Amino acid sequence: MISRPVSFIKPIDLTKARRLAPLSKRYAQIASLQTLPPNVALIAGNCVAFDEGRVIFVKNHKAACSTIAQLIYLHQNGSVCEGNIHKDYKGLIQGLPNFPAVAAALIARDTFKFTFVRHPVSRAVSAFKNIFLEKSNEAWTLHAKSIWHWGFSDSASASANFDVFLDYVTESLHQNAQLTDPHFRRQVDNTGINALQFDFIGRVEEMGVGLDRLSGIFGSNVEALRAQTALRANRSDVDFSPNTDQIGRLQEIYRSDFEIFGYTNSVGAA
């Protein structure tokens, strides 16, 4: 049987970073992650520290990342960010240039750590629509060459392509769960929940409750964000819902997310 390719995110090479740290600011920044457990170092690039490192948000792709990042930006700057909120240059303490500060916040015992999770079925459907049907997420460029080998076709039905997507995700997680694209990596790995002690874990399905819980940190900016932006929870206008068999496969693929985050088999809106 011919092996079909899958595409992974680029791993962090801490050994190389430690060796080159004295010669390069870039590698010195990466080497700062050596203070973290490996599964936490993996997620450092998807965190935002703020309030002088006293609070840190751990991003969980396809689970209100942009909404909360916008809230942090509004909290710091008094306005909503234009463009891609997740880029390093947006002035948030996130990404490679800020690895030392992020690492320090992640290991600090008194840092308020929070994240959001989403029903595994809704989240997977959202990733499929956004990346593979709409192709509006830059992650499409990572997978474009590989997914065709699995039978993905623009002329096929959305349901047929979703079966291909599930095959692709299953193989990705089988080969390397941690380096699987975080848009459909398991949420237990995205959040590093097995190594981090969270002070709050919100649910996308209960976003209003989550924002109210965070009002002690963000104050009136919570209402300002509601007024200035539409909290769409990564919803898509593409009309697709998985069938019973596909939902069953998702329950197997994301069994740990269902169990650890307390989701039932019922499906939330995608």
Side-chain angles (χ1 to χ4, degrees):
M1 182 178 180
I2 299 176
S3 176
R4 290 177 287 182
V6 292
S7 297
F8 295 105
I9 61 171
K10 186 177 180 180
I12 295 174
D13 190 340
L14 283 179
T15 300
K16 181 179 180 181
R18 284 192 295 268
R19 187 172 67 251
L20 297 179
L23 307 174
S24 165
K25 180 179 179 180
R26 173 183 175 84
Y27 283 109
Q29 292 165 336
I30 298 174
S32 67
L33 301 183
Q34 65 187 315
T35 60
L36 304 174
N39 57 335
V40 177
L42 174 75
I43 68 173
N46 294 316
C47 296
V48 184
F50 59 102
D51 283 0
E52 299 180 340
R54 294 190 299 271
V55 186
I56 190 163
F57 168 51
V58 178
K59 297 178 185 178
N60 175 23
H61 288 58
K62 307 308 295 180
C65 285
S66 297
T67 295
I68 302 303
Q70 282 282 13
L71 182 57
I72 296 170
Y73 187 91
L74 181 61
H75 174 65
Q76 294 189 154
N77 300 285
S79 62
V80 172
C81 175
E82 299 296 333
N84 191 333
I85 188 68
H86 303 294
K87 295 297 185 181
D88 295 344
Y89 62 82
K90 288 303 178 183
L92 298 180
I93 302 176
Q94 62 179 354
L96 175 61
N98 298 288
F99 273 177
V102 168
L106 281 170
I107 62 176
R109 292 184 178 181
D110 58 349
T111 300
F112 184 92
K113 301 176 181 69
F114 74 100
T115 190
F116 275 78
V117 296
R118 188 176 184 179
H119 193 289
V121 173
S122 298
R123 176 173 172 267
V125 170
S126 177
F128 169 66
K129 290 179 178 179
N130 183 223
I131 299 171
F132 296 96
L133 293 187
E134 298 173 330
K135 301 181 179 65
S136 57
N137 190 304
E138 63 183 18
W140 167 249
T141 60
L142 175 65
H143 304 289
K145 291 183 179 179
S146 299
I147 195 69
W148 303 109
H149 293 278
W150 289 81
F152 186 92
S153 171
D154 287 336
S155 63
S157 68
S159 183
N161 277 333
F162 192 63
D163 283 328
V164 171
F165 168 74
L166 294 180
D167 291 339
Y168 186 75
V169 171
T170 299
E171 181 61 20
S172 297
L173 292 169
H174 173 72
Q175 287 192 26
N176 195 318
Q178 290 196 325
L179 294 184
T180 291
D181 187 328
H183 292 89
F184 45 84
R185 185 163 58 196
R186 295 184 181 101
Q187 296 178 79
V188 293
D189 293 321
N190 274 355
T191 60
I193 194 170
N194 293 323
L196 292 177
Q197 185 69 42
F198 282 96
D199 296 281
F200 175 66
I201 299 176
R203 291 191 178 201
V204 168
E205 300 81 12
E206 301 169 352
M207 181 59 71
V209 174
L211 291 177
D212 288 342
R213 173 66 175 78
L214 295 173
S215 61
I217 296 172
F218 295 107
S220 60
N221 287 312
V222 168
E223 293 306 319
L225 182 72
R226 285 172 169 151
Q228 294 184 50
T229 63
L231 301 182
R232 301 183 65 243
N234 290 322
R235 292 189 180 94
S236 168
D237 294 329
V238 174
D239 186 17
F240 168 75
S241 297
N243 59 40
T244 301
D245 290 340
Q246 291 166 339
I247 290 174
R249 291 188 65 186
L250 287 167
Q251 290 166 357
E252 288 300 314
I253 293 170
Y254 296 109
R255 179 178 296 276
S256 58
D257 289 344
F258 275 98
E259 293 175 351
I260 290 178
F261 296 117
Y263 280 103
T264 66
N265 292 342
S266 59
V267 185

